[in-house]
């Protein structure tokens, strides 16, 4: 049974959004490139609301910076918002490869990455991610991999990620809690079952050391997996 701390006032999505807005106002500088990318994404009709929040984008950048990542792989580009955050962690000769199924999304991502002045560091590959991953034989391997695509394929993506990342490298998987639905065993859909399948595959996996961390923001309650390849 889950442990619940007694006598804690319940919070709401409005509380989470207000808290993020407050801390972001102190910790994140105004970013004209990201604002322009957001505006372009919305004008092109992409579902920008499913992109990572700014504070989590910054977290991705810091995590990649902390391990001095030089080669980053992203699975799931959308409009390129998280790609911009990650590419900013790279040195001048670094590279980010990002995989996107939808050609229109990829085009908008390229526009946004150009707005941010990062086109020289980012390569967008269009097509089914699994097909692209099968073909990859990176030398040297990637230092950091971020998975944020269709959840039904999480286990396949993670299996490839283990092969493609270096020893000591980081793998992050987004959307591990899905507003609590993953833990609600009376509920099922493809996304939830994809997360559950990944958790089952990770149990006693000798190749990685990992944990899952819950997050709360204007999008609700969710979380991410943080894994390090042994």
């Amino acid at each position: 049974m889950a442990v619940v701390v007694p006598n804690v006032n319940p919070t709401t999505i409005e509380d989470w959004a207000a808290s993020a807005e407050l801390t972001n106002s102190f910790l994140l500088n105004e970013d004209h490139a990201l604002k322009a990318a957001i505006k372009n994404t919305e004008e092109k009709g992409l579902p920008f609301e499913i992109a990572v929040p700014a504070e989590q984008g910054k977290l991705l950048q810091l995590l990649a910076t902390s391990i001095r990542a030089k080669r980053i792989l992203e699975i799931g580009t959308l409009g390129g918002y998280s790609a911009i955050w990650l590419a900013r962690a790279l040195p001048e000769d670094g590279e980010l490869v990002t995989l996107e199924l939808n050609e229109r999304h990829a085009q908008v991502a390229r526009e946004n990455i150009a707005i941010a002045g990062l086109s020289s560091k980012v390569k967008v590959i269009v097509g089914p991610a699994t097909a692209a991953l099968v073909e990859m034989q990176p030398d040297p391997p990637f230092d950091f991999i971020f998975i944020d695509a269709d959840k039904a394929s999480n286990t396949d993506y993670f299996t490839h990620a283990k092969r493609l990342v270096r020893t000591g490298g980081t793998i992050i998987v987004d959307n591990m809690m899905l507003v609590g639905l993953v833990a609600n065993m009376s509920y099922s859909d493809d996304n939830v079952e994809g997360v559950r399948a990944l958790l089952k595959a990770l149990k006693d996996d000798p190749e990685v050391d990992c944990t899952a961390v819950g997050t709360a923001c204007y999008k609700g309650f969710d979380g991410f997996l943080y894994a390090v390849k042994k």
Side-chain angles (χ1 to χ4, degrees):
M1 179 181 292
V3 176
V4 178
V5 179
N7 304 318
V8 174
N9 291 329
T11 58
T12 67
I13 192 169
E14 288 78 15
D15 296 322
W16 306 336
S19 297
E21 183 176 7
L22 175 68
T23 55
N24 287 351
S25 72
F26 286 96
L27 303 177
L28 302 184
N29 295 326
E30 185 174 10
D31 197 312
H32 297 291
L34 282 173
K35 282 187 175 180
I38 292 169
K39 183 173 184 290
N40 184 49
T41 301
E42 292 177 329
E43 289 177 348
K44 296 296 171 59
L46 272 64
F48 173 75
E49 66 277 3
I50 68 173
V52 298
E55 63 274 14
Q56 292 176 30
K58 182 66 173 184
L59 176 61
L60 290 171
Q61 179 185 335
L62 292 173
L63 291 173
T65 300
S66 71
I67 64 167
R68 295 181 173 85
K70 192 170 182 179
R71 302 197 70 233
I72 298 175
L73 173 64
E74 177 183 53
I75 304 172
T77 314
L78 192 62
Y81 187 76
S82 53
I84 291 171
W85 281 110
L86 286 167
R88 287 175 169 177
L90 292 168
E92 284 304 313
D93 59 344
E95 180 186 42
L96 183 148
V97 177
T98 181
L99 310 181
E100 173 55 48
L101 177 64
N102 186 296
E103 174 61 53
R104 183 163 170 270
H105 292 181
Q107 182 54 43
V108 174
R110 291 188 185 101
E111 294 170 5
N112 291 336
I113 289 162
I115 289 170
L118 294 165
S119 297
S120 64
K121 293 184 178 181
V122 181
K123 178 181 181 181
V124 182
I125 297 177
V126 182
T130 300
L133 293 168
V134 167
E135 296 297 320
M136 286 185 178
Q137 301 290 335
D139 185 18
F142 292 101
D143 303 295
F144 189 100
I145 298 179
F146 178 48
I147 301 173
D148 187 14
D150 60 299
K151 311 312 167 190
S153 300
N154 267 355
T155 304
D156 285 342
Y157 296 153
F158 195 90
T159 299
H160 283 292
K162 289 191 297 181
R163 176 179 63 85
L164 298 170
V165 76
R166 66 169 170 83
T167 299
T170 298
I171 305 170
I172 303 291
V173 184
D174 201 12
N175 306 124
M176 290 297 293
M177 311 296 184
L178 294 173
V179 296
L181 292 174
V182 174
N184 181 356
M185 294 305 165
S186 66
Y187 182 86
S188 178
D189 66 22
D190 289 346
N191 289 331
V192 165
E193 293 302 331
V195 176
R196 290 173 182 161
L198 176 58
L199 289 170
K200 290 175 184 176
L202 287 170
K203 185 175 176 58
D204 301 321
D205 186 329
E207 297 182 90
V208 290
D209 196 9
C210 51
T211 189
V213 179
T215 60
C217 66
Y218 70 90
K219 298 200 297 182
F221 172 64
D222 210 331
F224 63 90
L225 179 86
Y226 189 138
V228 175
K229 183 176 177 180
K230 295 179 181 179

